[in-house]
Amino acid sequence: MDTARKPSAPSPATAAQGAATPAAASLLVVGGAACLSASAMFVKLADINAGTAAFLRCAIAVLPLVPLMLLEQRRHGALPRPLRGYAVLAGVFLGADYVMWTLSILDIGAAVATVLINVQVIAFPVLSRLFGGNKIPRRFLYATPFMLTGIALASGVLQRGQQSGNTVRGVVLGMAAGVAYAAYLYLSRLSGQRSPQHVVSPVCVSTAATAVASGLIALLATGLPLTISAAAWGWIVALALLGQVAAWILISKGSPRLAPNTAAALLLLQPVMAIGFALLILHETPTLVQLCGCALVIASVWLANRTPRTANL
């Protein structure tokens, strides 16, 4: 009778879920966002077709992810079958996001495209609310317009002329890319919550699916030339290792331990850090308006996720 009352040992999933504090999880997501922020720089330095870049960053990333996944499976077993389906679907959404976003740049320019893809800051919490029942704090809703305004200022959208192309198509593609990005984040978070001991496995499966999806879409939309220079290969390998492998492992590790609105807001730091990389590596000097936009994003993210102090009773 007494032995029946003893508390059972926590399951591996429960132990892994509680291992990281919210602060540590936030640092993981910010680290992932920092890795993602270098992606644009690597693509620019590689100077290759957008569809080719989207395909190769994922195809190359699969090579180091597979042995890491096998090592994880030896420790924790295979990823449950339903979660494999989630990972494949997440990869399809991410592949669509990569290609639609690069196509939107051709129509409306990088500045506006950067603003539109960050509708994920709204779409991700909304998806989590609709399908997962996660509440969206009022503080976050109040801060969202300021976060998006900061992104608009940081991107330089108010200082650059409209790019030639199909504006309506570009806007639709840019917003659709943001929603696809949010769907990837939601499915990845869902997988991490249901099997938190599996971090690399869903990233590997979704990256392979992204490679296939982006490759097929690129064949139809931009072409897929694979004859590139040795220097371009070097930058694309760096993009795959940092902007794909490291970025999504860090985000997949931290995001399930945070509220969806918190993870979405922290990922808004990505374009802000991209400006920092461009300044340090590419020697691109941001304007005063862009710096003000960066400051507004950082302040809005902090205010949206600040935990109010409560009096001890």
Side-chain angles (χ1 to χ4, degrees):
M1 297 293 291
D2 292 335
T3 55
R5 289 186 177 182
K6 289 183 179 180
S8 58
S11 66
T14 303
Q17 185 72 18
T21 64
S26 296
L27 288 176
L28 289 171
V29 174
V30 171
C35 293
L36 283 176
S37 68
S39 299
M41 177 185 68
F42 289 137
V43 171
K44 185 173 183 178
L45 290 169
D47 191 25
I48 62 174
N49 176 284
T52 300
F55 168 71
L56 287 179
R57 71 182 291 176
C58 297
I60 295 172
V62 171
L63 299 178
L65 283 171
V66 168
L68 290 174
M69 180 183 70
L70 294 176
L71 180 61
E72 183 177 79
Q73 288 182 352
R74 287 183 60 184
R75 294 177 177 175
H76 305 295
L79 183 70
R81 183 171 296 178
L83 298 186
R84 296 177 212 168
Y86 287 149
V88 170
L89 185 58
V92 172
F93 277 117
L94 188 61
D97 161 44
Y98 282 164
V99 178
M100 287 191 295
W101 183 61
T102 51
L103 287 174
S104 71
I105 292 174
L106 301 177
D107 286 330
I108 55 178
V112 180
T114 299
V115 176
L116 292 178
I117 197 172
N118 278 291
V119 300
Q120 65 84 16
V121 76
I122 300 172
F124 181 18
V126 168
L127 288 175
S128 297
R129 174 61 176 166
L130 292 176
F131 298 105
N134 296 288
K135 294 183 179 180
I136 305 175
R138 288 185 181 180
R139 180 188 295 270
F140 175 80
L141 295 176
Y142 296 151
T144 297
F146 296 98
M147 289 189 280
L148 292 177
T149 299
I151 289 295
L153 294 175
S155 69
V157 67
L158 302 181
Q159 298 172 283
R160 300 176 187 177
Q162 189 80 330
Q163 299 291 324
S164 59
N166 190 321
T167 302
V168 174
R169 183 182 64 186
V171 170
V172 171
L173 285 173
M175 295 191 69
V179 174
Y181 182 27
Y184 171 83
L185 293 173
Y186 172 73
L187 290 169
S188 297
R189 181 177 186 273
L190 190 63
S191 179
Q193 287 181 317
R194 297 190 178 182
S195 185
Q197 70 269 32
H198 289 101
V199 176
V200 179
S201 298
V203 172
C204 183
V205 174
S206 64
T207 297
T210 301
V212 174
S214 61
L216 291 175
I217 296 172
L219 279 173
L220 299 174
T222 66
L224 195 63
L226 298 178
T227 304
I228 60 178
S229 67
W233 276 109
W235 291 119
I236 289 299
V237 169
L239 170 64
L241 295 179
L242 191 64
Q244 192 68 31
V245 176
W248 291 118
I249 286 179
L250 289 171
I251 293 171
S252 297
K253 181 73 174 177
S255 177
R257 295 156 176 80
L258 297 171
N261 56 279
T262 300
L266 290 175
L267 287 172
L268 280 186
L269 297 175
Q270 175 193 338
V272 173
M273 289 185 282
I275 291 176
F277 276 115
L279 173 62
L280 294 174
I281 308 299
L282 302 178
H283 305 292
E284 296 180 355
T285 305
T287 65
L288 179 60
V289 172
Q290 287 179 296
L291 292 176
C292 290
C294 292
L296 181 57
V297 170
I298 294 171
S300 301
V301 169
W302 179 78
L303 289 172
N305 297 287
R306 184 172 65 90
T307 302
R309 292 185 178 180
T310 56
N312 294 324
L313 299 179

